[in-house]
Amino acid sequence: LTVRTIVALVPSPLIPLVFSTAGISTPISCQLARPVECSCIFGSKFNKNFQQLRKMERKLVDIMERVSFMREFHSDNFTVVYQPFFKDASVYYQNDKKPDMSMLSVDCFHLSQKGHAISANGIWNNLMEPVGKKSNGFSHLFEKFHCPTIRNPFIFTNYNTLNLV
């Protein structure tokens, strides 16, 4: 079976990253930019809704994952695969206690060049990992870099991992 179109369903890293900076002392550039760039989280009017927004974001991510297993999104030529890399995105690397704010740009809201590189590495690794065994969360840049193998020379999908369809 050869799938011709694969849609990688990837959650946005921005909300989990922003939430992971709560309680961290941030530069003045962040404190000035974030209420303007994302008033729905950082504006004084919405501060009380912070936890509610976090719950809504978690629900959206769960829905994305469930949608990726729905049969109507899989055929001989098309499939959807959830890539959980950003699900628990954080300024803390896996197993590290110290935050790395250098993965965020000067506004502490968008990814920096380093953050984009870490993200690209993580998404690539997700594509090379079997469904159900995909990694999630940030690792140091190129700490892991999965490649196709002779045994598995392909991007993993529900077809070649779970035989769901």
Side-chain angles (χ1 to χ4, degrees):
L1 182 63
T2 302
V3 175
R4 299 188 188 282
T5 303
I6 299 172
V7 174
L9 199 53
V10 181
S12 168
L14 297 179
I15 301 292
L17 275 172
V18 166
F19 281 107
S20 76
T21 63
I24 296 174
S25 179
T26 57
I28 190 75
S29 60
C30 300
Q31 296 167 30
L32 293 173
R34 292 204 282 194
V36 173
E37 289 182 336
C38 190
S39 63
C40 61
I41 297 176
F42 296 103
S44 58
K45 180 177 173 183
F46 296 103
N47 279 342
K48 65 184 180 293
N49 299 332
F50 196 75
Q51 289 307 318
Q52 182 181 3
L53 183 60
R54 177 70 173 153
K55 285 179 188 175
M56 288 174 24
E57 184 271 337
R58 291 284 92 183
K59 282 184 182 180
L60 176 62
V61 170
D62 289 342
I63 290 167
M64 289 173 71
E65 187 169 9
R66 281 185 286 167
V67 163
S68 74
F69 289 101
M70 295 173 74
R71 290 197 183 274
E72 57 261 41
F73 296 112
H74 305 280
S75 70
D76 292 347
N77 292 316
F78 178 86
T79 193
V80 174
V81 183
Y82 176 70
Q83 308 298 342
F85 173 71
F86 286 133
K87 182 177 182 179
D88 295 317
S90 173
V91 293
Y92 295 89
Y93 294 111
Q94 296 169 347
N95 306 319
D96 279 6
K97 304 270 189 249
K98 186 178 172 192
D100 180 3
M101 295 298 287
S102 70
M103 66 177 72
L104 295 175
S105 67
V106 70
D107 63 6
C108 299
F109 186 72
H110 295 94
L111 293 170
S112 65
Q113 183 176 1
K114 180 180 179 180
H116 279 286
I118 291 167
S119 299
N121 180 206
I123 292 170
W124 172 261
N125 285 342
N126 264 186
L127 292 169
M128 296 295 122
E129 296 166 337
V131 174
K133 295 181 180 177
K134 295 182 180 289
S135 56
N136 127 21
F138 286 0
S139 297
H140 292 278
L141 186 58
F142 297 119
E143 183 175 81
K144 294 186 291 185
F145 188 80
H146 301 309
C147 294
T149 64
I150 291 171
R151 185 170 178 211
N152 298 310
F154 45 74
I155 293 172
F156 281 96
T157 67
N158 294 346
Y159 282 105
N160 61 27
T161 306
L162 304 175
N163 297 320
L164 291 179
V165 185

